[in-house]
């Protein structure tokens, strides 16, 4: 399984992913599911991958190999908008699944999905979810977050507390609390967490942090949240 | 969809269910998913139903009709333990699904599942989950709650805060918070909530409360939890 989360904010974007890849419980590895796309100057785009690892790696390698080629609909460096970038990701995903799907079917599912977030100069930051079918939706101010993989355990905290006006720091904190809820309930979602906080108009790829199990902030956050929640529940009226 | 939750405690049991039944989004009704089984004196057993409504109603009516018949494996009033009660529920479920399953298949799924909780004199309170296959598991002190239906949104709060030593009142509060998280994320889970708090050794069927949308306690709980959680998140350190 996988848990990937993208948050769209007035002030930028927060993208986060776990690192567990498994084919059955006896074949478990760590992978990086957060990557930057090879974009032109004036564009920053990150991608979060979920689903079949062979498929997601093939899509990312193809995106890399086609960059700079100038091939229409395949070269992300030639895209004029982030909408176009998401379309290229979906198009390459379709090609890979069409090629591999029937060979993979006897052993499992070749399907994959992506979150694509970033900014093109002249646009606000944008966030897209590319489905297994290659079509895609965009996050809006009404639903400023998108999830793939094991989405349910980590959703309530976001539904309660997140809006598009939330600050980048608060959203990063909420993202980690959402991962904490998921990690406690599904062992096929695993540490470390890769966390990108993108400041609008920075066009920077630098604010990526990998949070390991013993990361002091992660430990302090979990402890403070657990203790605070217990206190809060104790204070609430009983039926 | 449905959300049913059973909690096993040293001091008794908490059982809760939503009331939404739907066949597509344009055929939505309210049903009661919590019922008491027709047991003999010295036994109290409640049942929570999820899955195909025709199946769950057929199982409950059959349990009712067979009670007092003395038929081995069919008469819950003759059961010597709550384990045996759960076995009868599973057995009748198998009969109904064997009879109806292939006729229902072209239109949907005849499958159903149940939570059965209660107490037989001489035993501690016990809680079982009867699967669609008719087999069943029992809650233990290591995992003192069982869920059916839309289980994921409401699980994190239980994982964090619930143990078998939790008081009945606290567990009822946690059950309602678990329902709140689920109701906010899945519109196919709907109010009112039927909530049973069973005090160990009481053999009472009286502590059932139906919580409607405008129930003052429910509104106060949601508001206090929402406000308290916002304050808690604000207080937590940022990355």
């Amino acid at each position: 399984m996988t848990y990937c989360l993208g948050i769209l904010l007035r002030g930028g974007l927060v993208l986060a992913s776990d690192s567990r890849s498994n084919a059955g419980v006896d074949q478990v590895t760590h992978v990086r599911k957060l990557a930057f796309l090879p974009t032109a100057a004036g564009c920053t785009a990150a991608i979060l991958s979920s689903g079949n690892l062979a498929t997601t790696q093939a899509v990312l390698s193809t995106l890399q190999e086609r960059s700079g080629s100038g091939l229409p609909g395949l070269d992300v460096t030639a895209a004029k908008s982030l909408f176009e970038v998401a379309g290229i990701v979906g198009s390459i995903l379709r090609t890979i699944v069409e090629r591999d799907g029937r060979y993979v079917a006897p052993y499992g599912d070749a399907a994959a999905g992506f979150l694509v977030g970033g900014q093109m100069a002249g646009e606000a930051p944008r966030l897209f979810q590319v489905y297994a079918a290659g079509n895609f939706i965009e996050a809006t101010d009404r639903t400023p977050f998108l999830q793939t993989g094991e989405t349910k355990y980590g959703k309530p905290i976001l539904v309660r507390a997140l809006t598009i006006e939330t600050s980048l720091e608060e959203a990063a904190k909420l993202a980690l609390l959402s991962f904490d809820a998921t990690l406690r309930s599904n062992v096929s979602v695993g540490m470390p967490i890769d966390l990108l906080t993108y400041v609008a108009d920075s066009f920077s790829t630098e604010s990526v942090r990998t949070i390991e199990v013993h990361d002091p902030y992660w430990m302090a956050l979990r402890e403070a949240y657990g203790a605070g929640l217990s206190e809060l529940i104790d204070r609430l009226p009983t039926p």
Side-chain angles (χ1 to χ4, degrees), chain A residues 11-29:
Chain A
L13 294 159
V14 172
L15 301 183
S17 59
D18 83 309
S19 299
R20 182 72 44 90
S21 176
N22 68 295
V25 290
D26 56 350
Q27 195 181 336
V28 175
T29 54

Side-chain angles (χ1 to χ4, degrees), chain A residues 55 91-103 110 133:
Chain A
T55 302
S91 172
I92 292 176
L93 172 61
R94 285 177 177 167
T95 307
I96 303 292
V97 172
E98 267 173 10
R99 186 191 69 188
D100 292 353
R102 66 198 168 98
Y103 297 101

Side-chain angles (χ1 to χ4, degrees), chain A residues 143-190:
Chain A
T143 307
F145 65 93
L146 297 171
Q147 303 168 289
T148 64
E150 178 57 275
T151 61
K152 293 189 177 183
Y153 298 118
K155 192 176 174 191
I157 186 91
L158 303 174
V159 169
R160 285 182 189 283
L162 186 74
T163 77
I164 199 163
E165 309 294 348
T166 303
S167 73
L168 272 171
E169 292 72 23
E170 289 293 306
K173 192 161 74 176
L174 288 168
L176 292 178
L177 293 174
S178 175
F179 271 77
D180 185 32
T182 309
L183 289 157
R184 285 175 189 269
S185 287
N186 188 334
V187 294
S188 75
V189 175

